[in-house]
Amino acid sequence: MRIFRYLPLINHHKMKKTLITVLILAQLILMRCQAPSTKEERLEWWKDARFGMFIHWGPVSIKGTEIGWSRGREWSIEEYDNLYKQFNPIQFNAHEWVQTAKAAGMKYIVFTSKHHDGFCMWNTKYTDYNIMNSPFKRDVMKELSEACKKEGIALGFYHSTCDWHNPDFPLTSPGGTVKREVSNLDRYTEYLKNQSVEIIKNYGPLLVMWYDVPQQFDSIRGQGVIDHIRKIQSNILVNNRTGAKGDFDTPEQRVGSFNNKRAWETCMTIGRQWAWKPDDEVKSLEQCLHSLIRSAGGDGNLLFNVGPRPDGTIEPLQVERLKEMGQWLGKYGYAIYGTRGGPFKPTDWGVSTRKGNKVYLHILRWAGGNSEITIPDIGIPIKNVVFAGGKVAGSKKAENNYLIAIDEASVQPINTILEIEYEGDVMNVDPVEVKPQSVSFMKSVNASSNLKASWINHEWVDLKAVNNGEWSGSFWKAAEDDKQPWIEIDLGKAEKISKILLYESGTNINSFELQYKDGTTWKTFHKGTAIGEKCEISTDPVETQHIRLQITSFSDVPGIYEMMMFN
């Protein structure tokens, strides 16, 4: 500030010039102070950011099928490989995309530079199979890079490790299941390295290079790629899909498990497909926000995918949903951004995040009525507890726990946040288990279709998902030939059940029954029709150890995200 004391002594022109110089220098110093300079600092910035936009896009959007994977499957290889000759997304506007990400509260974007189909979305000198040879003839990655820099959004690129179009890669379509008679993996590796460097030099500095599906790449070859690009940008982040470990893990289509020792990022679609799909089902606002909140509570990030249409625009319904997420984050983002997961591990009712001497309990599901949440004593006294907004919540110490009163009037539809202020810093407290609210959480499960956990049409199908507390990603799905699908939960002991929550994957169930086991006989105690996004059932108490959901009619193969039982 002392600089300005002497400005009146110089003439107006010099004063104006000096002011501009001072402001520019100040801005440069500020930018230097804020910009993460080391890889470790960049990783911490990325963890603080918590929320990013994934974008899968390419000529395949013309067909509305899955990028890369539909090559040689839904469409012949020749037809797929020539789609770029029709690709002319004249309504593409990079600034609109970036503004959508900002409106959603996202802090970074990861865009598909090249998927497994080998088509390159930038002006690359290493292959003619790129967007500059389409009717569009515009470098979308350059435009996106410029828009991100203007709007202050960090940028990274998804770049497929495998390439089913390149003749040097040993595998080809469909799905990388066909082995080429002639290939040259070493030469292909150089191609991958060269393109990666080209991207970083042309559009960097970048936040991340996000590789995928290494297939023929082992850890040594994958680490070679990472080492090579770090000669160009030493602080760039790299995920775990080159074949090498990289900087962070990438659970897909499901929220990752709690892990504060190794960075991770859930990648998940807002609909059912990575690339654009006509009339795609869009997740509810509750699902979308729960995915983000549960990721943060597990100490991970959420990379949330949109698939732009063939004209270059993002589906209006997807845009609207993202804006709704941004509106929520505008009010409650302080409990997400810059936090770390814990100190309480995720449970069926929700998760916790922490920052300094504060813990934020995110109550995502509540059985209803006036009750209490039990949290362990972490060895630091609680100073006060309030609901987000300032209303004081009652709390009391009981042996090795704290009991926090929840009154039904304070419960919010999507997430009820309790702010707990401790008398000391909570960041170094080791994570602890929390008592669940439901009696079904993580109990033994059986089903008519007890399929092995696996990928089915790019969705993670897992029977254990039906009572793990997370209902926006993985789910149970009946087998195609299962005509009388059912799911059974063994509660471990007899419980009096009076409330059940059901979450369906899709809207295929037309009718169902809830049954309890009486000796060796299954008896129906509730009949229902559609389940849909969420079905809440209150009944007269039924005392039993075993509960079964029997699906009696359906329009297409049914799936269930979650079943919760309360006494």
Side-chain angles (χ1 to χ4, degrees):
M1 294 300 295
R2 292 182 180 180
I3 295 171
F4 296 100
R5 292 177 60 185
Y6 302 98
L7 290 181
L9 302 177
I10 54 180
N11 65 46
H12 180 74
H13 176 73
K14 286 184 177 180
M15 181 174 72
K16 185 176 179 182
K17 189 174 181 181
T18 304
L19 270 170
I20 292 170
T21 303
V22 169
L23 290 171
I24 290 172
L25 286 170
Q27 183 65 24
L28 288 172
I29 291 168
L30 182 64
M31 288 172 63
R32 184 173 183 134
C33 290
Q34 290 178 339
S37 57
T38 67
K39 179 171 69 69
E40 291 72 24
E41 289 172 341
R42 188 166 290 245
L43 186 64
E44 288 305 305
W45 179 94
W46 173 82
K47 290 169 72 174
D48 285 345
R50 282 303 182 218
F51 192 25
M53 176 182 278
F54 215 1
I55 305 174
H56 278 68
W57 192 46
V60 71
S61 62
I62 293 169
K63 294 293 190 181
T65 53
E66 192 59 278
I67 190 168
W69 298 92
S70 61
R71 180 180 188 261
R73 191 176 66 183
E74 284 89 344
W75 313 104
S76 70
I77 290 175
E78 182 180 5
E79 185 176 9
Y80 188 104
D81 288 353
N82 282 287
L83 288 173
Y84 78 98
K85 296 177 181 178
Q86 308 168 46
F87 191 50
N88 192 21
I90 56 174
Q91 294 190 52
F92 165 71
N93 185 316
H95 289 279
E96 287 184 0
W97 283 14
V98 175
Q99 286 163 2
T100 296
K102 285 190 74 173
M106 293 161 160
K107 305 300 184 184
Y108 58 97
I109 289 174
V110 178
F111 176 77
T112 46
S113 52
K114 182 200 74 165
H115 207 266
H116 317 323
D117 58 17
F119 186 77
C120 300
M121 297 293 285
W122 80 100
N123 186 16
T124 177
K125 65 182 181 182
Y126 293 103
T127 177
D128 293 333
Y129 194 47
N130 71 71
I131 197 164
M132 304 307 289
N133 292 313
S134 72
F136 194 51
K137 298 186 183 302
R138 280 165 53 187
D139 187 337
V140 299
M141 285 167 50
K142 180 181 179 182
E143 294 179 34
L144 186 60
S145 174
E146 291 170 352
C148 283
K149 287 172 183 174
K150 182 178 179 180
E151 297 291 340
I153 293 291
L155 179 64
F157 289 104
Y158 167 109
H159 198 72
S160 176
T161 309
C162 68
D163 189 325
W164 303 330
H165 178 271
N166 191 303
D168 283 329
F169 193 75
L171 304 175
T172 187
S173 299
T177 60
V178 177
K179 188 171 179 61
R180 285 191 169 94
E181 292 183 6
V182 178
S183 62
N184 189 324
L185 188 56
D186 289 337
R187 190 160 60 199
Y188 172 74
T189 304
E190 289 306 303
Y191 173 77
L192 180 68
K193 288 179 179 178
N194 288 337
Q195 285 203 321
S196 298
V197 167
E198 184 180 48
I199 290 169
I200 296 168
K201 284 184 174 180
N202 288 357
Y203 313 112
L206 301 178
L207 175 65
V208 63
M209 282 296 288
W210 210 105
Y211 294 96
D212 195 19
V213 186
Q215 290 193 319
Q216 299 288 299
F217 276 56
D218 58 16
S219 60
I220 296 173
R221 191 176 292 272
Q223 189 60 48
V225 173
I226 296 174
D227 294 342
H228 186 74
I229 66 172
R230 286 213 169 117
K231 293 175 184 176
I232 310 303
Q233 184 184 329
S234 61
N235 64 358
I236 195 166
L237 302 181
V238 183
N239 69 333
N240 63 335
R241 300 194 187 187
T242 62
K245 188 177 180 180
D247 301 305
F248 61 93
D249 293 336
T250 52
E252 185 170 333
Q253 294 290 45
R254 64 191 188 278
V255 174
S257 302
F258 186 94
N259 188 347
N260 64 346
K261 302 299 182 186
R262 163 91 171 156
W264 61 270
E265 176 186 63
T266 281
C267 55
M268 184 182 288
T269 55
I270 195 171
R272 289 283 186 176
Q273 189 167 278
W274 293 101
W276 180 72
K277 178 181 179 181
D279 302 316
D280 197 5
E281 176 187 327
V282 176
K283 290 182 172 75
S284 68
L285 178 60
E286 185 178 63
Q287 280 181 294
C288 293
L289 283 173
H290 281 200
S291 297
L292 173 60
I293 296 162
R294 281 196 170 273
S295 294
D299 207 33
N301 284 22
L302 176 64
L303 187 60
F304 212 34
N305 182 77
V306 297
R309 298 185 289 192
D311 66 1
T313 60
I314 301 173
E315 282 281 2
L317 183 56
Q318 295 185 9
V319 172
E320 183 60 31
R321 186 68 78 248
L322 291 174
K323 286 181 178 178
E324 290 172 344
M325 294 181 77
Q327 289 165 4
W328 185 89
L329 283 164
K331 294 176 67 176
Y332 304 113
Y334 64 87
I336 301 295
Y337 301 126
T339 65
R340 294 295 178 264
F344 309 114
K345 291 184 179 180
T347 187
D348 59 350
W349 55 255
V351 298
S352 64
T353 54
R354 53 181 157 172
K355 186 189 300 183
N357 68 334
K358 281 194 173 181
V359 169
Y360 304 99
L361 295 186
H362 300 266
I363 305 170
L364 305 178
R365 295 194 186 94
W366 192 246
N370 298 330
S371 189
E372 294 175 326
I373 274 185
T374 302
I375 59 170
D377 179 3
I378 59 174
I380 303 172
I382 288 178
K383 204 170 181 181
N384 60 65
V385 183
V386 298
F387 290 95
K391 180 182 175 182
V392 176
S395 64
K396 60 184 178 182
K397 183 81 180 293
E399 295 181 348
N400 296 322
N401 297 306
Y402 280 95
L403 306 180
I404 301 175
I406 307 293
D407 61 289
E408 195 162 12
S410 300
V411 174
Q412 300 297 308
I414 289 177
N415 181 20
T416 304
I417 300 176
L418 277 168
E419 302 176 13
I420 308 174
E421 184 180 4
Y422 284 84
E423 291 185 3
D425 192 299
V426 298
M427 298 305 289
N428 293 320
V429 174
D430 290 333
V432 292
E433 301 283 350
V434 181
K435 180 183 176 182
Q437 193 189 20
S438 71
V439 295
S440 54
F441 182 61
M442 302 299 287
K443 295 295 174 63
S444 178
V445 187
N446 196 11
S448 54
S449 300
N450 199 348
L451 302 174
K452 183 180 178 182
S454 60
W455 289 104
I456 299 178
N457 293 327
H458 298 277
E459 296 173 313
W460 186 250
V461 176
D462 184 1
L463 176 58
K464 292 180 181 179
V466 301
N467 63 341
N468 68 352
E470 192 271 305
W471 73 283
S472 51
S474 54
F475 59 96
W476 170 83
K477 190 174 188 178
E480 295 281 346
D481 59 352
D482 190 346
K483 304 302 180 186
Q484 295 182 315
W486 53 264
I487 304 173
E488 174 190 330
I489 296 181
D490 182 347
L491 303 175
K493 63 177 183 177
E495 301 277 4
K496 285 186 177 180
I497 304 300
S498 58
K499 186 170 184 177
I500 295 174
L501 291 179
L502 302 174
Y503 297 81
E504 182 183 355
S505 171
T507 54
N508 297 321
I509 296 173
N510 298 323
S511 64
F512 67 93
E513 294 182 4
L514 289 173
Q515 302 170 343
Y516 70 96
K517 198 171 188 179
D518 183 6
T520 58
T521 305
W522 287 100
K523 294 183 177 180
T524 298
F525 66 95
H526 177 84
K527 291 185 178 182
T529 52
I531 293 177
E533 289 178 1
K534 181 179 181 179
C535 181
E536 188 172 313
I537 301 157
S538 296
T539 71
D540 292 332
V542 174
E543 187 166 2
T544 184
Q545 182 175 329
H546 299 87
I547 294 278
R548 173 178 284 189
L549 168 66
Q550 178 71 64
I551 301 168
T552 49
S553 66
F554 48 93
S555 57
D556 202 350
V557 179
I560 294 292
Y561 278 119
E562 190 81 9
M563 295 172 61
M564 301 179 74
M565 320 289 175
F566 302 91
N567 57 19

